[in-house]
Amino acid sequence: MTFYQELQLNQAGSKKLIKNSKTSKEKFSHTAVYLFKIALTVAFCFFFVTFFSKIFGSENSVAGVAILLSLLAFRQVDLGFDIGQSSYVMMGMFGILIFGPHLANAFGPGVGFVINLACMLAMTVFGCYEIRFFNHATLLLSYILLYGNDVTGDLYLKRVIGLALGGLWIVFCLYRNHMHKNHKDTLRDVMEAFSINASETRWHIKVSLGISLAILIGELMGLPRTMWIGIAAMSVIHPSNELRKRSHMFYRLAGNVFGCVLFLGLLVILPKSMYGLVGVIGGIGVGFCASYKWQTVFNSFGALGLAMAIFGLKTAIILRILNNAIAVGFVFIYVPLFDKILELVTQTTVSKELLS
């Protein structure tokens, strides 16, 4: 494996390579590459978002984050069907990111719920044809972040331009990196695969409806930062019910509580002039983590850092824990209820078909 190929590995791949090293020298070499990759990634992310913010405004930094998430994801995975057609679909995805979150905010919770549901369902159906690629973690996260950080006026115009240019960049990278793949499935196959009897379609509906409902509940309760509820709901509505039950729900809540404790500890240790580095520390921590539980811990740092500037430290921590607790509690009730209703609908449909 070349140096460049080793840089392309994800955290799990790099850690596996280090673990399987046969000699101390080989282990040191792989570890050095891994550390260099993390430093390179964090530096690139920091400078890209900073550069994007300077051009399109600091309020639009989240749009830069959305572009960055897509770049990091789609340089390694595609959409699971014909690459040429996938490129056009990716343009549509960024069209949704440009208009969907803004329209949902403009029309308020009720109509906004419908818009969110329609947009997220479209993104999962066409962007998550291969659920095992976990493209929803990129596409839906980007949508929720933009929804939770909406802008208006000239700032929105700048956001439109930034996302449009970023979308073209992602389309180019997607096509360049994956054009050698010979997928047999086409966009037509993707649309024909949409069926209430298909497990993939059921999950597309489950995650899209679940996130939209979770956000709506938070808004009807009058809570700030309802995007945290949406993000938490997305992360625990796992394609695997076993993982959702056994680990993700517990780790989501416990990880955020522990993340808040560590965040407080860093604020005690660091001088006020270095508080801005806490988010960077969180990013580095995520880079080292291949497991969901530790990623949840370090992801709290950046979120708390931004919320602290708006609400103050105490309120930010309370909101972080409360919103995640609401999301976990909602999913705990929602998923079994959704599955039961879907089972009844399926049984009714089958019975009607047999009688006819």
Side-chain angles (χ1 to χ4, degrees), residues 251-319:
Y251 288 138
R252 184 72 200 186
L253 189 54
N256 272 282
V257 172
F258 188 47
C260 289
V261 173
L262 287 181
F263 182 82
L264 280 172
L266 283 174
L267 295 189
V268 171
I269 296 170
L270 297 174
K272 287 187 177 181
S273 59
M274 297 182 67
Y275 282 3
L277 294 177
V278 176
V280 177
I281 294 171
I284 294 172
V286 172
F288 276 105
C289 298
S291 64
Y292 175 79
K293 56 184 177 182
W294 285 108
Q295 288 175 351
T296 301
V297 171
F298 287 108
N299 273 328
S300 299
F301 288 13
L304 285 170
L306 292 173
M308 183 176 68
I310 302 172
F311 304 107
L313 178 59
K314 182 179 178 180
T315 304
I317 290 176
I318 292 173
L319 281 174

Side-chain angles (χ1 to χ4, degrees), residues 128-323:
C128 307
Y129 181 58
E130 288 282 0
I131 294 177
R132 60 191 174 90
F133 290 171
F134 271 68
N135 288 341
H136 70 282
T138 299
L139 297 171
L140 296 186
L141 176 58
S142 297
Y143 183 95
I144 298 168
L145 287 172
L146 290 166
Y147 176 80
N149 295 275
D150 192 36
V151 291
T152 57
D154 290 340
L155 283 172
Y156 177 64
L157 179 59
K158 290 181 179 180
R159 176 169 293 189
V160 170
I161 296 171
L163 285 172
L165 292 174
L168 291 174
W169 184 26
I170 301 304
V171 168
F172 170 76
C173 292
L174 176 73
Y175 186 81
R176 182 196 61 187
N177 286 19
H178 306 287
M179 62 181 177
H180 62 281
K181 296 180 180 178
N182 186 26
H183 287 300
K184 294 182 180 179
D185 290 350
T186 63
L187 184 57
R188 182 175 181 177
D189 294 310
V190 175
M191 292 186 287
E192 290 179 348
F194 186 82
S195 169
I196 195 66
N197 296 318
S199 60
E200 292 83 1
T201 300
R202 293 182 179 190
W203 185 78
H204 292 154
I205 298 172
K206 181 190 292 184
V207 70
S208 302
L209 178 61
I211 296 170
S212 302
L213 279 173
I215 291 174
L216 176 63
I217 289 171
E219 290 179 339
L220 292 178
M221 292 175 66
L223 292 172
R225 310 303 279 181
T226 54
M227 69 173 184
W228 284 351
I229 301 177
I231 292 170
M234 180 198 73
S235 72
V236 294
I237 303 178
H238 199 277
S240 167
N241 278 340
E242 286 304 311
L243 279 177
R244 174 184 57 81
K245 292 176 183 176
R246 293 181 182 179
S247 61
H248 276 50
M249 294 182 73
F250 171 77
Y251 288 138
R252 184 72 200 186
L253 189 54
N256 272 282
V257 172
F258 188 47
C260 289
V261 173
L262 287 181
F263 182 82
L264 280 172
L266 283 174
L267 295 189
V268 171
I269 296 170
L270 297 174
K272 287 187 177 181
S273 59
M274 297 182 67
Y275 282 3
L277 294 177
V278 176
V280 177
I281 294 171
I284 294 172
V286 172
F288 276 105
C289 298
S291 64
Y292 175 79
K293 56 184 177 182
W294 285 108
Q295 288 175 351
T296 301
V297 171
F298 287 108
N299 273 328
S300 299
F301 288 13
L304 285 170
L306 292 173
M308 183 176 68
I310 302 172
F311 304 107
L313 178 59
K314 182 179 178 180
T315 304
I317 290 176
I318 292 173
L319 281 174
R320 182 70 182 175
I321 295 174
L322 177 62
N323 285 3

Side-chain angles (χ1 to χ4, degrees), residues 42-148:
V42 171
F44 173 76
C45 293
F46 176 79
F47 286 113
F48 176 80
V49 174
T50 300
F51 179 72
F52 189 93
S53 300
K54 285 188 177 296
I55 296 177
F56 299 102
S58 58
E59 294 87 350
N60 281 320
S61 61
V62 68
V65 172
I67 295 168
L68 187 61
L69 289 172
S70 294
L71 178 65
L72 294 175
F74 295 114
R75 68 188 182 91
Q76 294 184 328
V77 299
D78 56 274
L79 300 186
F81 56 96
D82 181 82
I83 298 303
Q85 295 181 0
S86 293
S87 299
Y88 290 109
V89 170
M90 184 58 72
M91 292 174 64
M93 294 294 163
F94 271 83
I96 291 174
L97 292 179
I98 288 171
F99 298 109
H102 185 68
L103 288 174
N105 274 287
F107 284 100
V111 178
F113 162 75
V114 177
I115 294 173
N116 285 337
L117 176 58
C119 289
M120 291 187 199
L121 186 59
M123 296 184 90
T124 53
V125 169
F126 294 104
C128 307
Y129 181 58
E130 288 282 0
I131 294 177
R132 60 191 174 90
F133 290 171
F134 271 68
N135 288 341
H136 70 282
T138 299
L139 297 171
L140 296 186
L141 176 58
S142 297
Y143 183 95
I144 298 168
L145 287 172
L146 290 166
Y147 176 80

